[in-house]
Amino acid sequence: MRIRIHGADEIRASEITPERVYLDRRRFVERAAMLAAAAAVPPSWLACGPAAGRAEETTVAGREAKATKGRGIQEQDWTAVRSELDEPLTPWEDVTTYNNFYEFGTGKDDPAKNAHTLRPRPWSVAIEGEVGRPAVYDLEEFVSPHRLEDRVYRLRCVEAWSMVIPWRGFPLADLIRRVEPSGKAQFVEFTTLHDPDRMPGQRRGVLDWPYVEGLRLDEAMHPLTLLATGVYGRDLPNQNGAPLRLVVPWKYGFKSIKSIVRIRFTETMPATAWAVAAPREYGFYANVNPEVDHPRWSQARERRLGDFRKRPTLMFNGYGDQVAHLYAGMDLGRWF
Amino acid sequence: MSSSARRTRAAIKAVIWVSALTPATVLIWRATHGGLGANPIEEVLHQTGWWGLVLLTTTLAVTPVRRLTGWQAIIRYRRLIGLFAFFYVTLHLSTYLVLDQWFAWAYILEDIAERPFITAGFAAWLVLLALAVTSTRGSIRRLGRRWQRLHRLIYLAAGLGTLHFFWKVKADTREPLVFAALISVLLLARLPAARSLMARLRGRTAARVGREVAER
């Protein structure tokens, strides 16, 4: 079993498989076997009973028996994993305790403190709009046709901090092909769960709930665009957008909508949450761009969590080779 | 001054010193025990700025409290509280210049010139600097009536500081609005009508206390 993406010719394998692994053939074989094994095992929530849960433990932990002890994220050794730019991963601890998810409070540590109320199962996802096969899927049916992959992506927040995160998920393009959008579909709109009992932050009108995000269809079809169900080889923790979230690595983090319940194909550009809240500050595109400042702060540099000094922000967050063509001829200062 | 009055004054000053230095101590303890979270510099910025605003607001509350309670001596502690406000705001600015920006002057000057929230914050610090420098007994003597006028600028500093906070937050404006409300109330308390109201309230309270004592 290999880790690869169909129809992604412009992406070098080194951008998906960690580079060190890619370069070292012997270790590549070992590592790829392990990652693929982990990815092929359904996440625990797809399991119907305790037996399936044990199977996962045996498969993954069994292969890693010599290297690790016990359960937890050590089931897989992530310490050597790097991004394609040879960046180390942001630790699990930081990824899962520091983020924005206003549905659970506006502080960076609020999601980790408050998201226990979410209850990510049972969960259903509605496919609506300009699409050949509209349906409401149970999460299991929604995810099970897809092979899950581990992908290491940079995440750049509009607030000028960033992380490197190993997501687990499948390309949104695969889903889109499966549901057959009609010729009229130009955009894809995503909606987060709206349930103030499970998302207490929604009791206050900080944003116009529910949270809505969107992509142009070609952006949604881009092989880098991921629907994630996990991080660090495990199911997504509630605070990171369980059980299903978007990851669009060349755009600011707020585009990567969490806890998705509806995916709608539309003819017109969706009204997205932050663009509605502050249209002067947040646009529909929200591509990472060091040359277009946020009206209140510079986007030229960012602080990678764990670093002391700021680093220059890369155009399209370092994914320009893959995505710049999507915006050829567009005035990115205007379409920020 | 009697020795007991002197002891009371020393005790109150000690309480102010300990209370005002507690947030800084907690911050240092958290920093040395890995307790500042995933983005420690941001947390230090937030904490020092927040406590600067709290102490600024406290400084502004001294005169209204004196009018309301008749506790005249409270005015003696205003300068100390004000200087602690300046201390935290200076820590806040230093954190930005050193830890956050690491002396990247080109970016810092661009921030001050082009980002309104940083312009407001920096202006607030400049005002507080002028007030701190002229807070000595010598300055009060030298400046005479002008000293009072100059030091009314503390309202400007508090307003700019709150604006700085308001412009910084993305969507959750609750905390900056609470500061804005408190500062507005404390500013309104300076108006003659509010002053006479407070004096009446005090008189009534004093009379009632007097009656209750007499009846006993």
Side-chain angles (χ1 to χ4, degrees), chain B residues 98-153:
Chain B
V98 181
L99 298 183
D100 189 56
Q101 298 290 325
W102 194 245
F103 309 109
W105 294 111
Y107 287 105
I108 291 166
L109 292 176
E110 186 189 302
D111 270 358
I112 292 172
E114 289 178 24
R115 326 261 177 242
F117 92 91
I118 294 180
T119 315
F122 188 70
W125 178 78
L126 283 179
V127 171
L128 289 177
L129 175 67
L131 303 193
V133 165
T134 58
S135 67
T136 58
R137 245 170 254 262
S139 293
I140 298 172
R141 241 198 335 268
R142 264 197 312 280
L143 291 167
R145 288 186 63 81
R146 280 176 305 165
W147 186 89
Q148 186 125 26
R149 243 180 294 157
L150 177 68
H151 278 249
R152 286 205 181 115
L153 290 178

Side-chain angles (χ1 to χ4, degrees), chain A residues 84-246:
Chain A
E84 85 286 4
L85 299 179
D86 201 29
E87 301 152 306
L89 301 183
T90 302
W92 161 269
E93 172 76 9
D94 291 350
V95 171
T96 55
T97 58
Y98 183 90
N99 66 340
N100 286 313
F101 197 174
Y102 280 15
E103 282 79 348
F104 298 104
T106 53
K108 297 282 186 306
D109 52 354
D110 285 341
K113 280 191 225 152
N114 303 331
H116 57 90
T117 54
L118 175 64
R119 296 201 317 272
R121 341 248 184 275
W123 193 271
S124 55
V125 184
I127 303 290
E128 297 177 2
E130 297 295 339
V131 68
R133 303 171 69 181
V136 178
Y137 292 93
D138 178 71
L139 188 67
E140 181 184 342
E141 329 159 53
F142 185 83
V143 176
S144 57
H146 302 281
R147 167 176 296 283
L148 300 179
E149 307 163 15
D150 289 307
R151 298 226 198 147
V152 177
Y153 282 160
R154 287 173 289 285
L155 180 138
R156 168 61 156 81
C157 178
V158 73
E159 296 165 359
W161 53 266
S162 61
M163 297 186 179
V164 180
I165 304 177
W167 300 107
R168 174 169 287 186
F170 58 92
L172 175 61
D174 290 356
L175 172 85
I176 293 176
R177 286 191 200 99
R178 193 176 131 206
V179 301
E180 297 166 9
S182 78
K184 286 190 193 159
Q186 301 280 320
F187 295 91
V188 190
E189 179 194 271
F190 307 84
T191 308
T192 296
L193 175 73
H194 189 197
D195 183 346
D197 288 337
R198 290 153 75 187
M199 296 183 147
Q202 290 175 336
R203 287 181 199 143
R204 295 183 45 235
V206 183
L207 290 170
D208 194 3
W209 309 115
Y211 196 90
V212 171
E213 258 309 335
L215 294 172
R216 225 167 51 190
L217 190 60
D218 58 341
E219 298 175 321
M221 290 294 291
H222 193 281
L224 283 176
T225 306
L226 201 68
L227 271 177
T229 58
V231 64
Y232 267 102
R234 300 167 67 95
D235 291 352
L236 283 170
N238 291 357
Q239 63 268 30
N240 292 84
L244 183 75
R245 66 170 291 166
L246 186 68

